Amino acid sequence: MRYLLLSLADENTPAPDERLFAEMGAFIQEMSAKGILLATGGLEPGGLRMTSSGEEVTVTDGPFTEAKEVAVGFALVEVRSEDEVLELARRFRRIVGDGVSEIRRVQ
Amino acid sequence: MIDAVWKLESAKIIGSLTRLVGDVGLAEEFAQDALVAAMERWPAEGTPGNPGAWLTAVARRRAIDHIRAERRHDQTHERMAHDLRHDDDTGEQDRDDTLRLMFLSCHPVLPPPARVALTLRLLGGMGNAEIARAFLTGEQVIARRVADAKRALAEHRVGFDLPVADEAAERLASVLEVVYLIFNEGYAAASGDDLMRPGLTLEALRLGGMLAEAAPQSEVLGLLALMEIQASRADARTGPSGEPIPLHEQDRGRWDRLRIRRGFTAMLRARELGGPPGPYLLQAAIAVCHAQAPTAEETDWAQIVSLYELLVRLTPTPVVRLNRAMAVGMARGPRAGLDLTEDLTADPALRNYHLLPAVRADLLLRLGRAEPARREFLRAAALADNAAERAFLARRAAGIPAGEPAGPLLGPAVAEFLAGRTDATARSYGQTLRRLRTALGEQTPLAELTPAETARAVTSAWGGAAPRTWNRHLAALRSFCAWAGRPDLGAELARRAEPAPAIRRGAPVHVWSGTGAAPRELALWWLLHESAAPVTRVLALNVEDLDLDDRRSRTGITWRSRTAALLPALIGDRTRGPLFLSGRRPAPARAPAEGDLCPHTGRRRLSYERAEHLFKQATGHTLSDLKSQD
């Protein structure tokens, strides 16, 4: 089963330091090698938003101030169980520190 | 939760423990101790920050306690003491341990099913019950397999070292084979109702990834690429009701691009290493060709054929040759493909392989030969073990309108022929003719059979049999053919000379020299040879029946010097109970009669089947060959 993990951040989230980069690098390396981590990446904070309404399509530039937390990174993983994805997320959170992750099963 | 941690960490934990204690069975026990401790303490104390490290630390403490205790009686554990002092784990060390553990689990002293079970258990962290479910077998079977495997590793003193240079290639090949076996068990579920067991596929991909990380060699990366690309088609290869969809009909939009990309990456890494491509890399390259084709029509079949040509040179197995025939059928037309399958129909290895008639059926259909194609589909369906595949093949057959049968058909003719024989004859002939029916097709008109086809079917079924067996089947075939008015069908087959029995009996005395047989086997074989007593009576001997000085038993069996020299060691300190014991204790549920149980060791009497198997394996002869000496 596959899950998409989104890590969310708000303005209080500290910027990543060197230690975090090193630990995250090792974690990503290990999980990729095991075939668990299929894809991962960071997301730019703002981005674009497209809205369609009837015939009309509008594009807005970010950042979107109404959202307190925004997704700043994602990981697509292939796991054996929900427990396993929780354990992975737990490890991830231990590395990045305070904050929120969303975990969604890919259907 | 603990289970999830365990599955992620078991390879690392057991690997580092095995390095410490030198015995994988012991290592697993300490790891299990740590798991039990976790189950007791985590719920109360909360999950530790780094659960994997916690488990490792607890297990290592147990192991070190154990070693210290051992060292008190045994001063020779210098190496372990050394390891204890220089005990700093690094990522590299972990990878190295994982690799050693894989080599250990896939060691050639173990039979292949044991390698698979041990690998899933030690490296995949799967429990016996889980493994049993994945392989549709009982938990007891797996438990026994794992226990036997650990014992065999201990008995053969298989160390936790990387293989030495001259056996490295062979040992790695064994690891790759085990991983691919697990993959295929999941991907192309050989039997049962589901076409796939994704758990095993995933497990194999993980093992492949770990292996590629620890030993990034060309064939390892090739296998990983092959598995990734095959797995990319998982969603596309079955239809809504579980029926298989052949590659060229799959919706390529449903192929998993992520997996394909991972496969390509592994492939590129393999290519960068250079060197001549091995079998896995070639198969991966073929898979890449398919993955790169935007539509089935755009497949580069010429390239695939040339890759198969290389592959056939490295591994000329019947299945590879069949795949090549299929590719040639696509590249150069169905006629060329069909010609290549002709040889294969005589190959005994493929006689029960449903894909041979299935491939032929496709080629025949493309040649416009509907009726033979329909019959090949029916034969393929009859041979398929997997329910979904069987249904699919039967539907393909049903999709072709049955032609007007040209006279009587093989299946009904055989039934009618057998019905006219006496019971005993029908039973004996039935064996032969059933095989023939499966090989040539129930619904093949008798008039269409050719002597060459018949000869191929018979040769593939019994070509390797003893002359007597061969002649018996031939007699049955001829009788049927004469009855059916086609005596010409047996014309290409000749009776074989049956060797005089005396010749067969002359040899056995020496057949086991140099086989390195165990003392129990040697004693049994010499006793059978020297006593000329029936096998069952010899196996029924009890220690208390023997008169070693007089070289005879109270049951009237006598022997000579070779046996006399071997018996004392075999008996050891035992004073009564079965003379020949099996290697293991019986399971509680299958307790044998008391008289068949050794009061000293709790083992059971050696069975005829086992004794026969061991002798046959060592010498190729049967035990009864031994009896009639003198």
Side-chain angles (χ1 to χ4, degrees):
Chain A
M1 48 181 96
R2 283 187 182 179
Y3 284 87
L4 182 69
L5 288 90
L6 289 170
S7 68
L8 309 181
D10 56 25
E11 69 261 25
N12 301 324
T13 308
D17 59 11
E18 227 169 272
R19 180 200 61 88
L20 192 149
F21 270 120
E23 282 186 28
M24 191 56 78
F27 183 56
I28 289 174
Q29 161 74 18
E30 185 190 344
M31 290 304 141
S32 304
K34 278 192 175 150
I36 293 171
L37 182 62
L38 299 178
T40 186
L43 302 173
E44 61 165 326
L48 303 172
R49 176 178 289 182
M50 183 175 281
T51 318
S52 59
S53 165
E55 296 291 296
E56 200 181 339
V57 173
T58 48
V59 177
T60 342
D61 280 325
F64 307 101
T65 42
E66 72 274 17
K68 279 215 303 247
E69 287 170 328
V70 292
V72 291
F74 77 96
L76 185 65
V77 296
E78 174 106 53
V79 292
R80 285 173 272 219
S81 61
E82 191 186 274
D83 273 352
E84 197 165 84
V85 77
L86 289 177
E87 173 59 21
L88 292 179
R90 209 169 270 135
R91 284 195 198 184
F92 172 79
R93 297 266 27 128
R94 259 201 310 275
I95 296 172
V96 295
D98 298 351
V100 178
S101 278
E102 267 182 27
I103 300 163
R104 309 257 194 95
R105 175 140 184 207
V106 179
Q107 285 173 327
Chain B
M1 162 59 209
I2 296 176
D3 185 56
V5 172
W6 175 246
K7 285 205 164 72
L8 288 170
E9 302 288 334
S10 69
K12 227 194 273 181
I13 298 176
I14 295 180
S16 78
L17 287 171
T18 309
R19 178 158 46 85
L20 198 59
V21 299
D23 177 298
V24 73
L26 211 51
E28 215 202 346
E29 273 176 41
F30 297 130
Q32 295 291 344
D33 286 350
L35 272 181
V36 171
M39 279 181 240
E40 283 166 4
R41 290 171 49 187
W42 293 4
E45 299 170 14
T47 307
N50 186 343
W54 190 96
L55 286 172
T56 310
V58 171
R60 291 180 76 93
R61 267 203 299 280
R62 305 265 159 130
I64 289 166
D65 287 347
H66 169 86
I67 293 168
R68 294 223 168 98
E70 288 274 290
R71 282 190 64 205
R72 277 197 282 277
H73 347 245
D74 184 359
Q75 290 303 315
T76 61
H77 282 70
E78 277 310 309
R79 190 184 57 78
M80 287 185 183
H82 172 87
D83 285 353
L84 283 180
R85 280 194 299 276
H86 302 268
D87 192 25
D88 45 343
D89 271 0
T90 60
E92 199 170 322
Q93 186 82 63
D94 280 344
R95 278 197 289 283
D96 201 37
D97 286 342
T98 306
L99 187 61
R100 285 160 196 256
L101 197 57
M102 282 194 176
F103 277 120
L104 192 69
S105 304
C106 303
H107 199 280
V109 299
L110 304 174
R115 295 178 207 173
V116 168
L118 207 57
T119 301
L120 288 174
R121 199 175 151 87
L122 300 181
L123 290 133
M126 286 170 79
N128 290 343
E130 263 178 297
I131 301 173
R133 261 197 311 281
F135 285 89
L136 311 178
T137 175
E139 187 178 347
Q140 285 301 317
V141 175
I142 298 296
R144 203 160 44 234
R145 212 172 269 172
V146 168
D148 286 352
K150 286 186 199 156
R151 194 169 42 238
L153 289 175
E155 273 168 13
H156 287 86
R157 300 180 180 282
V158 173
F160 195 54
D161 302 317
L162 291 172
V164 292
D166 60 339
E167 59 174 32
E170 189 200 337
R171 296 283 303 278
L172 185 65
S174 169
V175 175
L176 295 174
E177 191 186 312
V178 167
V179 174
Y180 198 41
L181 211 65
I182 294 171
F183 180 84
N184 274 320
E185 187 63 27
Y187 189 68
S191 54
D193 294 337
D194 298 326
L195 210 55
M196 277 188 59
R197 284 175 236 141
L200 285 178
T201 309
L202 192 58
E203 216 56 64
L205 281 165
R206 287 197 182 182
L207 289 168
M210 283 197 267
L211 191 58
E213 172 84 354
Q217 300 178 21
S218 152
E219 275 295 88
V220 176
L221 292 162
L223 173 62
L224 184 60
L226 175 63
M227 294 193 300
E228 291 278 12
I229 297 176
Q230 286 189 328
S232 77
R233 305 182 201 131
D235 285 344
R237 69 198 280 270
T238 47
S241 48
E243 74 279 12
I245 301 177
L247 188 63
H248 64 274
E249 287 172 20
Q250 288 173 11
D251 173 0
R252 293 178 183 226
R254 298 185 65 200
W255 286 0
D256 186 340
R257 292 287 141 193
L258 217 51
R259 286 238 175 270
I260 292 179
R261 214 190 59 203
R262 292 170 64 84
F264 284 5
T265 309
M267 195 69 194
L268 286 176
R269 282 178 67 198
R271 285 219 182 112
E272 277 165 14
L273 293 171
Y280 287 113
L281 199 59
L282 285 171
Q283 290 176 78
I286 292 167
V288 165
C289 284
H290 288 299
Q292 279 175 330
T295 64
E297 291 68 36
E298 288 166 88
T299 308
D300 187 352
W301 286 107
Q303 170 72 5
I304 292 176
V305 166
S306 58
L307 289 167
Y308 269 121
E309 300 291 352
L310 291 174
L311 189 57
V312 163
R313 243 177 273 161
L314 292 182
T315 50
T317 65
V319 173
V320 170
R321 284 158 60 211
L322 177 61
N323 287 331
R324 177 183 57 169
M326 192 168 63
V328 166
M330 296 306 287
R332 301 178 198 148
R335 179 78 263 165
L338 199 63
D339 286 348
L340 283 175
T341 66
E342 295 295 340
D343 281 351
L344 295 170
T345 54
D347 198 310
L350 292 183
R351 71 175 181 218
N352 289 324
Y353 189 56
H354 64 285
L355 290 182
L356 173 58
V359 166
R360 284 176 56 84
D362 262 325
L363 294 166
L364 285 163
L365 200 58
R366 285 173 49 209
L367 277 174
R369 295 173 57 192
E371 184 50 29
R374 190 180 71 86
R375 290 199 299 264
E376 288 290 57
F377 275 129
L378 285 175
R379 279 185 50 216
L383 290 172
D385 283 332
N386 181 290
E389 243 180 323
R390 194 162 49 237
F392 168 75
L393 290 164
R395 261 199 313 281
R396 298 272 327 245
I400 304 171
E404 278 296 302
L409 306 179
L410 177 60
V414 165
E416 193 189 333
F417 169 73
L418 290 176
R421 309 298 109 188
T422 64
D423 282 356
T425 313
R427 239 194 326 277
S428 158
Y429 282 10
Q431 225 189 358
T432 312
L433 299 175
R434 255 197 312 280
R435 182 71 244 170
L436 197 69
R437 236 159 45 172
T438 326
L440 298 173
E442 290 280 324
Q443 306 204 25
T444 309
L446 282 176
E448 281 186 22
L449 290 175
T450 66
E453 254 178 338
T454 316
R456 271 201 302 267
V458 172
T459 313
S460 117
W462 301 294
R468 252 175 65 198
T469 314
W470 168 266
N471 290 340
R472 180 165 58 81
H473 289 298
L474 196 58
L477 173 76
R478 288 201 167 136
S479 171
F480 169 72
C481 294
W483 173 89
R486 290 289 312 270
D488 58 306
L489 287 180
E492 291 195 8
L493 298 160
R495 279 181 61 82
R496 292 181 182 170
E498 295 182 22
I503 297 172
R504 263 197 324 163
R505 289 180 189 150
V509 191
H510 305 289
V511 292
W512 63 73
S513 65
T515 57
R520 178 191 67 186
E521 271 67 71
L522 286 178
L524 172 63
W525 300 344
W526 276 110
L527 178 52
L528 283 167
H529 170 60
E530 290 185 346
S531 70
V535 183
T536 45
R537 282 188 56 206
V538 169
L539 288 172
L541 280 174
N542 285 335
V543 175
E544 64 267 29
D545 294 335
L546 307 180
D547 186 333
L548 293 183
D549 296 333
D550 263 0
R551 296 185 179 176
R552 61 188 184 82
S553 76
R554 273 192 288 164
T555 54
I557 294 173
T558 58
W559 55 88
R560 296 198 300 268
S561 58
R562 302 299 292 255
T563 310
L566 292 164
L567 281 180
L570 179 70
I571 296 169
D573 297 333
R574 295 184 288 146
T575 54
R576 56 201 181 82
L579 174 61
F580 295 102
L581 295 174
S582 78
R584 56 184 89 122
R585 292 187 184 84
R590 300 192 306 157
E594 204 177 319
D596 286 334
L597 213 52
C598 173
H600 305 277
T601 63
R603 293 178 183 172
R604 70 183 307 163
R605 190 183 297 280
L606 181 64
S607 72
Y608 187 100
E609 291 73 23
R610 183 73 188 147
E612 181 80 344
H613 170 76
L614 290 169
F615 189 61
K616 208 160 192 175
Q617 208 178 32
T619 69
H621 290 260
T622 64
L623 282 173
S624 55
D625 289 349
L626 277 175
K627 179 184 83 173
S628 18
Q629 286 294 310
D630 287 22

